């Protein structure tokens, strides 16, 4: 389902403003895809960076899990359009 996830490749052509879902903040808006992370903005305007595998880009996230998805109902990036 989300094994070997590469959000940089999946989202590289997605338009700015694409709505995505984060299990922490709910719906977020895609701001930019960089060479090392995906930047999204929450409803309060705060920007958050996500790793290539959808984990929050922060120290000590080695044991964390993907928190960024196409939508609340769709948790499978292989079906993202």
């Amino acid at each position: 389902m989300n094994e070997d996830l590469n959000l940089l490749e999946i989202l590289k052509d997605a338009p700015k403003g694409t709505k995505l879902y984060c299990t922490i903040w709910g719906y977020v808006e895609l701001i930019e895809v960089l060479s090392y992370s995906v930047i999204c903005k929450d409803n309060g305007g705060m920007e958050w960076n996500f790793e290539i595998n959808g984990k929050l880009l922060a120290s000590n996230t080695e044991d964390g899990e993907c928190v960024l998805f196409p939508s609340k109902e769709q948790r499978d990036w292989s079906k993202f359009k």
Side-chain angles (χ1 to χ4, degrees):
M1 189 161 32
N2 288 314
E3 297 82 20
D4 301 319
L5 182 60
N6 183 340
L7 287 184
L8 306 180
E9 185 63 30
I10 293 170
L11 294 172
K12 69 179 181 183
D13 296 323
K16 181 177 179 177
T18 296
K19 294 289 184 192
L20 301 171
Y21 184 78
C22 175
T23 58
I24 302 168
W25 300 285
Y27 283 96
V28 295
E29 184 178 304
L30 178 66
I31 300 299
E32 186 175 9
V33 178
L34 302 174
S35 61
Y36 59 91
S37 72
V38 174
I39 303 173
C40 293
K41 177 173 65 172
D42 66 22
N43 287 332
M46 187 87 159
E47 291 185 4
W48 301 96
N49 289 321
F50 297 88
E51 296 181 20
I52 188 172
N53 55 10
K55 294 179 183 181
L56 187 60
L57 184 62
S59 61
N60 301 321
T61 59
E62 185 175 315
D63 294 327
E65 59 186 56
C66 181
V67 295
L68 188 63
F69 299 98
S71 73
K72 186 175 184 177
E73 298 77 25
Q74 176 55 274
R75 306 287 177 108
D76 186 351
W77 278 104
S78 69
K79 297 177 182 177
F80 179 75
K81 295 180 181 171

